[in-house]
Amino acid sequence: MRIETDRTTCEGLGMCEAMAPDFFEVGADGTVVVLEEHPGEEHRQDLTAAVDASPVLALRLKG
């Protein structure tokens, strides 16, 4: 599985960071930073919730 981001769409609202702080962080520039691009399958449920929480659809899970 791989986390993909669209940093041009991201508004830095931090919903993903709130849902999965081990994987996302709002950077100094106000957009999301992925802390672990290839997480293990055991994290899929938490990451799906974080991706779904993005109000601007700036995140995707592949694989």
Side-chain angles (χ1 to χ4, degrees):
M1 167 173 50
R2 183 170 59 113
I3 301 171
E4 294 183 349
T5 63
D6 181 349
R7 292 174 56 94
T8 61
T9 302
C10 179
E11 294 181 354
L13 300 172
M15 298 302 294
C16 58
E17 183 177 20
M19 300 289 291
D22 292 337
F23 299 95
F24 302 103
E25 177 178 282
V26 176
D29 66 351
T31 60
V32 68
V33 174
V34 177
L35 302 175
E36 186 176 339
E37 189 175 326
H38 297 281
E41 188 63 34
E42 68 273 16
H43 301 289
R44 183 175 291 275
Q45 185 175 355
D46 291 338
L47 290 170
T48 298
V51 167
D52 291 346
S54 173
V56 295
L57 306 175
L59 302 168
R60 287 174 298 288
L61 291 179
K62 294 288 186 171

